[in-house]
Amino acid sequence: MAAPIAIHLEFGGGAELLFGSVKEHHVTLPNQSEPWDMKQLLVWIRGNMLKERPELFVQGDTVRPGILVLINDADWELMGELEYELQDKDNVVFISTLHGG
Amino acid sequence: MCQVDEEYNGQLDHRVTPRVSKKCVKCKENTTVLIIRAGDAFCRGCFKEYFIHKFRAMLGKNRVIFPGEKVLLAVSGGPASSSMLSQVQEGLSRDAPKKLRFVPGIIYIDEGGASGQSMEERKRAVAQLESVFRATNYHYHIVHLEQVLSLPSSVLEAGSSATEKPQTGSSYKAAVDHFIPTRKNQNQHPDLSVENAQSLLSNLSMQEVQNGVTSPITHEHTQALQRLFASVRTPTAKEDLLHTLRQHLILHTARTQGYTKVMMGDSCSRLAIKLLSNISLGRGASLATDTGFSDPRHGDVVIVRPMRDYSSKEIAYYNRMFDIPSVFIPGLDSKAQDKASIQRLTESFVTKLQTDFPSTVSTIYRTSEKLHTACPPQNTNTQLSAKCLLCVCALDTKLEEFSAYQATLISEQLSQRRGPGPDQGCETGDGGCCSSAKSTVDLKSLLCYSCRLTIKDMTALDALPQYILSEAERRRSQMREEISEFLLDEEENEAIPRVNGS
């Protein structure tokens, strides 16, 4: 029922190495009945975008420790972390603070 | 409590996402954008103020940078050092009397030769960084890691401090107060004073020769460097060696270009990881100098770490929000597994712990602040031979009775199989090194414990840069001279029992 959502993803700090060294991605999440939340987005990224070494980006349900997530330039801890529901044209940024990306 | 399959049955909740109020804790007006530490939410403007203030407070609290000094900023392109560069720009641009007063220069070390990057990738990265450096209008030096092969051996000697600057607060204040009126007088006088002329000249030379690269890098150099790193077996030792060579290069550039201070961009999180991994590497004796604010081991050049109060989260957010340019350059440990090296393992341990217990990094940091060196580090009576050849910290391998070092030697001896034939005794008195070549044995006596471990992991010692080998030779002959008068004549020497009769 929900319309497909267009999301702008950015990767920094070395995380882009896992995505073909491309920093910016415009993706459209397909239709589904419930609204998309961050948990589902991570699953989607892992399945559709990660070219290699998923354990360097996702750990279990959430991102690997050391990777910061910003939603519309704000800390995702303020938005509810994994429970945040994505809106159309949201901007999600993943910045790795680890040594090796 | 420490069992594997312990069931807590709901006694421990999963970390509850803190429901912080949407208003900034400082100004209580604007909406928050970021949480620092365990629940302080800041808005954009307050965060910027807080960030900038911390840098200046760190420099002001530790009064080691005197006005007018030349300071070299070691920029790797990563977020912390780029942030440090922007803070220095910010601090130097304010109007007096609050502005920082020193003369900055930038150094960038291109390590692509060691991490296996192609020449085009390296050139691209260097070009990106050069555009960032040019925008700052500071003098910058681009140094390739291959240049470490042609360093002079004087870089391994600790220099004496250039001038006698007592480290008391009053002399710092006096220096600052003296500086301000001098500048004012110079600006008022119409004729050029010496200092103005010098600054104009340096500006001219900056425009002509921006790039500090003197010798072009040939393919042979890169291959020699790769041979050196290929001869190191473990990633732990590789990272350690890379770090050492990097320090030597920075030190050499600082000395030849007249810089008395070097600023490194180690953040709080990085230093916490470094502290723990240094303990694991056997560098416990030099923890204070490796992770403290100022590192005086080289004598004439002091290394300071002004970013040591910032967590990597704060740095990453600041860079993102205020568009600080930083270039990610893949290094030796990019995309390495968690257990590849001690450093990586420690990093993953600390970051994982930090997510569940947000005060981990700051606790480690507070502990490291309490570490001090026992005796004054700049002891001019310390002989050169008492310093490690590679890391220039005091040798900690004096074989005392019942020391931990003796215990490691004994267990090493016991766990090695005795091969047939080789000499039982080694001149330096080390226990279980019978099977290693004589040159390893000789080099070991000049190194501290953890550098010995690094060297032990190397298969080909002759791949080491020439300056290290020649300095080792020089120190050995110096040692031999010093003890020669106490040695018995060669033919009468019965101290070492010979296994082979001939």
Side-chain angles (χ1 to χ4, degrees):
Chain A
M1 258 210 41
I5 307 181
I7 305 281
H8 181 218
L9 291 175
E10 285 183 48
F11 300 98
E16 65 268 19
L17 283 183
L18 301 170
F19 295 92
S21 295
V22 178
K23 288 199 174 174
E24 303 206 11
H25 299 253
H26 285 272
V27 295
T28 312
L29 300 174
N31 253 340
Q32 69 175 27
S33 45
E34 315 94 37
W36 282 86
D37 62 6
M38 283 302 292
K39 202 187 293 196
Q40 294 170 342
L41 176 68
L42 286 178
V43 172
W44 189 89
I45 291 178
R46 185 195 177 129
N48 297 44
M49 290 181 67
L50 261 181
K51 304 255 189 293
E52 52 183 329
R53 311 287 300 277
E55 75 275 9
L56 290 182
F57 187 74
V58 182
Q59 193 184 61
D61 263 350
T62 179
V63 291
R64 184 179 176 212
I67 298 192
L68 301 173
V69 186
L70 284 99
I71 304 176
N72 297 331
D73 279 346
D75 194 351
W76 76 330
E77 287 180 35
L78 290 168
M79 313 286 225
E81 284 201 20
L82 288 171
E83 276 85 38
Y84 170 77
E85 288 177 3
L86 289 165
Q87 323 276 327
D88 194 27
K89 299 214 186 26
D90 267 352
N91 186 20
V92 183
V93 186
F94 296 92
I95 304 179
S96 167
T97 56
L98 300 170
H99 225 132
Chain B
M1 189 178 113
C2 300
Q3 290 155 347
V4 172
D5 293 335
E6 184 77 42
E7 289 295 333
Y8 284 99
N9 289 333
Q11 282 166 357
L12 260 191
D13 303 286
H14 179 70
R15 186 177 76 102
V16 174
T17 315
R19 295 274 164 243
V20 289
S21 64
K22 287 293 191 175
K23 294 294 173 198
C24 168
V25 299
K26 205 161 159 213
C27 60
K28 312 230 185 327
E29 290 176 354
N30 304 326
T31 49
T32 54
V33 288
L34 141 86
I35 298 186
I36 300 175
R37 296 187 290 260
D40 290 341
F42 283 91
C43 68
R44 222 181 126 101
C46 294
F47 176 57
K48 182 168 183 164
E49 261 182 56
Y50 159 83
F51 199 88
I52 295 179
H53 171 75
K54 245 207 298 210
F55 187 76
R56 303 164 65 75
M58 177 60 79
L59 285 184
K61 194 168 64 169
N62 303 286
R63 297 170 164 185
V64 289
I65 301 202
F66 285 79
E69 253 192 305
K70 281 182 81 170
V71 177
L72 188 61
L73 307 175
V75 175
S76 65
S81 42
S82 309
S83 189
M84 177 176 79
L85 182 59
S86 83
Q87 289 303 307
V88 165
Q89 272 183 285
E90 172 89 34
L92 283 172
S93 68
R94 295 210 181 166
D95 24 2
K98 284 212 162 199
K99 77 173 183 181
L100 300 175
R101 296 177 197 89
F102 52 84
V103 180
I106 306 174
I107 179 173
Y108 166 67
I109 298 188
D110 165 32
E111 295 169 4
S115 53
Q117 284 189 304
S118 67
M119 274 313 280
E120 297 81 44
E121 284 175 346
R122 292 165 69 176
K123 284 207 179 94
R124 214 175 335 137
V126 167
Q128 267 184 298
L129 279 166
E130 265 191 307
S131 62
V132 173
F133 296 160
R134 257 190 288 257
T136 63
N137 272 330
Y138 300 147
H139 203 162
Y140 63 88
H141 309 266
I142 311 266
V143 181
H144 299 279
L145 192 63
E146 286 86 345
Q147 285 172 262
V148 83
L149 298 166
S150 46
L151 283 183
S153 55
S154 57
V155 78
L156 294 170
E157 292 171 31
S160 56
S161 65
T163 53
E164 285 301 311
K165 283 206 163 71
Q167 302 285 339
T168 55
S170 57
S171 75
Y172 178 83
K173 198 162 180 333
V176 170
D177 290 335
H178 173 74
F179 192 76
I180 304 176
T182 321
R183 292 295 268 199
K184 276 207 199 122
N185 288 340
Q186 281 168 357
N187 289 337
Q188 281 162 10
H189 289 177
D191 44 63
L192 289 173
S193 65
V194 174
E195 207 168 319
N196 273 349
Q198 271 178 353
S199 64
L200 281 177
L201 271 176
S202 67
N203 279 341
L204 272 179
S205 65
M206 193 167 72
Q207 272 138 30
E208 284 166 1
V209 183
Q210 281 282 19
N211 205 338
V213 176
T214 44
S215 55
I217 299 304
T218 66
H219 196 55
E220 285 80 34
H221 289 146
T222 312
Q223 277 188 324
L225 191 70
Q226 281 173 343
R227 200 172 42 235
L228 167 63
F229 277 92
S231 74
V232 184
R233 281 188 293 235
T234 57
T236 305
K238 271 194 210 181
E239 283 192 41
D240 200 36
L241 185 66
L242 179 64
H243 179 79
T244 310
L245 294 178
R246 197 192 291 153
Q247 295 289 97
H248 289 173
L249 262 184
I250 294 178
L251 180 67
H252 176 72
T253 311
R255 277 190 179 151
T256 49
Q257 305 287 332
Y259 293 96
T260 46
K261 298 274 187 318
V262 175
M263 272 194 187
M264 309 283 291
D266 293 310
S267 65
C268 187
S269 321
R270 263 317 142 74
L271 281 178
I273 294 165
K274 193 170 180 190
L275 187 89
L276 291 181
S277 51
N278 274 5
I279 296 176
S280 312
L281 289 170
R283 277 194 198 283
S286 56
L287 274 182
T289 44
D290 278 343
T291 56
F293 174 75
S294 73
D295 184 352
R297 72 177 87 166
H298 296 284
D300 50 348
V301 176
V302 179
I303 300 177
V304 296
R305 302 184 177 97
M307 304 295 286
R308 69 192 294 261
D309 218 0
Y310 293 102
S311 72
S312 33
K313 181 173 177 180
E314 291 171 17
I315 291 177
Y317 272 92
Y318 186 84
N319 286 0
R320 168 81 198 175
M321 285 184 200
F322 300 102
D323 290 324
I324 309 292
S326 81
V327 179
F328 174 75
I329 296 167
L332 263 186
D333 51 356
S334 290
K335 293 205 272 192
Q337 286 189 334
D338 264 358
K339 295 191 186 149
S341 67
I342 292 181
Q343 293 90 341
R344 283 291 276 173
L345 191 59
T346 315
E347 183 185 35
S348 78
F349 171 65
V350 172
T351 33
K352 280 191 188 140
L353 206 57
Q354 173 78 7
T355 44
D356 287 330
F357 302 98
S359 53
T360 303
V361 166
S362 49
T363 307
I364 300 176
Y365 171 66
R366 300 268 167 265
T367 312
S368 81
E369 272 191 320
K370 295 186 176 119
L371 295 169
H372 294 289
T373 43
C375 50
Q378 276 172 309
N379 190 354
T380 45
N381 295 334
T382 313
Q383 296 148 345
L384 224 77
S385 51
K387 297 258 184 184
C388 171
L389 180 67
L390 287 179
C391 62
V392 202
C393 51
L395 279 181
D396 53 352
T397 47
K398 197 161 138 238
L399 201 60
E400 288 165 357
E401 198 74 45
F402 308 126
S403 66
Y405 183 55
Q406 194 195 33
T408 50
L409 282 184
I410 290 176
S411 46
E412 196 181 350
Q413 229 172 328
L414 291 174
S415 54
Q416 273 189 359
R417 260 178 302 159
R418 300 261 181 218
D423 281 324
Q424 288 300 315
C426 301
E427 306 237 19
T428 54
D430 278 352
C433 53
C434 309
S435 47
S436 37
K438 191 153 195 306
S439 58
T440 320
V441 170
D442 286 337
L443 200 58
K444 270 190 185 176
S445 62
L446 300 167
L447 299 172
C448 68
Y449 180 69
S450 64
C451 290
R452 284 189 199 195
L453 294 177
T454 306
I455 293 293
K456 207 194 282 191
D457 268 344
M458 290 183 66
T459 51
L461 273 183
D462 53 346
L464 277 174
Q466 190 51 40
Y467 70 100
I468 295 179
L469 298 172
S470 50
E471 176 69 16
E473 192 52 53
R474 194 188 69 82
R475 286 194 195 180
R476 276 204 297 271
S477 54
Q478 196 181 36
M479 266 168 58
R480 270 199 291 268
E481 266 175 39
E482 280 170 10
I483 60 175
S484 62
E485 48 198 75
F486 301 106
L487 275 182
L488 296 171
D489 213 356
E490 281 294 313
E491 291 87 47
E492 300 168 16
N493 194 355
E494 291 175 338
I496 301 166
R498 299 244 174 255
V499 176
N500 311 335
S502 57

